[in-house]
Amino acid sequence: MTDIISELKWRGAVNQVTDEAGLKELTQQKAIGVYCGTDPTGDSLHIGHLIPFMMLKRFQLAGHHPVIVIGGGTGAIGDPSGKNSERKLQTMDQVKKNKEHLTAQLVKLFGTENFTVVDNYDWLSKMSLLDFLRDYGKLFNVNTMLNKEIVASRLEVGISFTEFTYQILQSVDFLYLYQHHNVQLQIGGADQWGNITAGTDLIHRQAGADAKVFGLTIPLMLKADGTKFGKTAGGAIWLDPKRTTPYEFYQFWLNQDDRDVIRYLKYFTFLDQDEIAALAEKVKQEPEKREAQRRLAQEVTKFVHGQQAVDEAEHISQALFSGDVTSLTAAEIEQGFHDVPSVDVSAAKANIVQWLVDTKIESSKRRAREDVTNGAITVNGQRIRDVDFELDPTAAFSGRFVLVRRGKKRYFLARVKQ
């Protein structure tokens, strides 16, 4: 089998490994189960989740078997976050709904073959308090647990017993998956090292010191300016197309800094070393063309949303760049102008001046007349100069939208009530 560990290191995807030589030898000998977990704290994944999932996808493409644990059990408790506060506990109904949404998104990324999604509620919920204390509590040293970074960082402000026990439950997960799903490797973010090594220690105590299990963490993903990757002024970038449209998703990647783009191409795409090296040279020689950013946007959007989403995003981008929006479909209008000021309007025809005032696009009839006369108003890609123009809200975009541009860049979207 391929040397996936060396590949991951070239891509800058390896932070710590419990036994790198042993893991490299094992993964070249046989297919193994590889797992990471995600707690159902929301109803959609975001691009931060892509960081471990890209690792799992690479293992899958190399012939290994990815397993994702949706923490229906641990998610009801909460992993210590490293922040100076406890996580908010969720109801079991909310956890269940979130789990259903996340599972659907994961299947889009990994398919249904050679991929498993499990819920740790299925085994943790069957364990009594006495079982927990007798079978596992005796195997964990409190002093060792206190020294784990994620716990130590919270001691000054305090941590509940509930969150303190999280690392034991995550260790139980690793043991269960080792026993029932042939999982021999757990991966996670850099902050998960303590939890992961607690799991390998538990398996060695239960299955023997020669049990071949490993832990691997991923470097903290920081942008060139030192801020955390995935955090934007507008909030999280979601994988759910209803929360972040594919066009917005594409634009996020397209707008990456030259200093970050090659690192992201290595990590978030499946392009080979030669192609990435060629793109790196283009960043140096012709940065204004932004070819590396475009390739990054294409590849990640295709992975998450499919090729059609890439085509639509590029069509919208070209239309906005040229100012010719007449070729856009109603669905593309909804995507491309998702975040511009919007208003609901009736389907009734109306005088352009009165309509602009009624929709509050213009503050007064005088201002509306001036803007129309001066050619500052464009409706559905057509410049309007006649103050007597009769606007038909159903004339374009399948009768669903009226797109107004005031000046060169100020857009407004009117949604036609049917």
Side-chain angles (χ1 to χ4, degrees), residues 241-274:
K242 294 178 181 177
R243 298 180 70 169
T244 298
T245 68
Y247 168 74
E248 292 171 315
F249 189 86
Y250 178 94
Q251 287 293 319
F252 169 82
W253 297 100
L254 186 65
N255 290 322
Q256 293 304 316
D257 193 300
D258 286 347
R259 296 171 295 174
D260 293 319
V261 66
I262 298 305
R263 191 157 51 94
Y264 294 167
L265 279 166
K266 286 181 177 181
Y267 196 93
F268 292 104
T269 78
F270 302 102
L271 302 182
D272 62 31
Q273 296 189 22
D274 290 342

Side-chain angles (χ1 to χ4, degrees), residues 378-415:
T378 301
V379 177
N380 299 335
Q382 176 188 357
R383 193 177 302 279
I384 308 298
R385 294 181 181 272
D386 181 4
V387 294
D388 294 321
F389 176 80
E390 184 180 57
L391 187 146
D392 179 2
T394 64
F397 309 126
S398 303
R400 293 174 54 196
F401 303 110
V402 181
L403 182 64
V404 179
R405 189 181 77 197
R406 191 179 76 199
K408 290 186 176 181
K409 294 184 178 179
R410 192 91 191 273
Y411 282 96
F412 301 86
L413 187 66
R415 300 175 183 273

Side-chain angles (χ1 to χ4, degrees), residues 104 154 175 254 343 359 384 393:
R154 287 279 299 280
L175 175 63
L254 186 65
V343 62
T359 55
I384 308 298

Side-chain angles (χ1 to χ4, degrees), residues 4-17 51 54-55 58 187-188 216-221 263 266-267:
I4 187 171
I5 304 305
S6 294
E7 170 78 3
L8 293 175
K9 291 188 74 175
W10 176 81
R11 292 184 180 272
V14 177
N15 180 41
Q16 293 171 289
V17 190
I51 297 173
M54 292 304 299
M55 292 277 281
R58 292 188 200 286
I187 67 172
L216 183 154
T217 62
I218 306 157
L220 179 64
M221 191 75 68
R263 191 157 51 94
K266 286 181 177 181
Y267 196 93

Side-chain angles (χ1 to χ4, degrees), residues 110-124:
F110 292 93
T112 55
E113 293 185 13
N114 195 32
F115 173 61
T116 304
V117 178
V118 293
D119 182 351
N120 62 14
Y121 181 82
D122 293 342
W123 57 87
L124 293 180

Side-chain angles (χ1 to χ4, degrees), residues 35-42 68-79 88-100 102-103 106 117-126 166 169-170 173:
Y35 110 88
C36 76
T38 181
D39 283 341
T41 51
I68 291 182
V69 176
I70 294 183
T74 46
I77 292 170
D79 183 9
K88 183 179 178 182
L89 297 182
Q90 299 187 90
T91 66
M92 292 308 297
D93 283 345
Q94 188 61 54
V95 168
K96 182 181 178 183
K97 288 179 182 177
N98 291 346
K99 175 192 166 187
E100 291 171 355
L102 300 189
T103 300
L106 290 169
V117 178
V118 293
D119 182 351
N120 62 14
Y121 181 82
D122 293 342
W123 57 87
L124 293 180
S125 63
K126 296 173 183 174
Y166 188 96
L169 296 179
Q170 186 169 325
D173 288 347

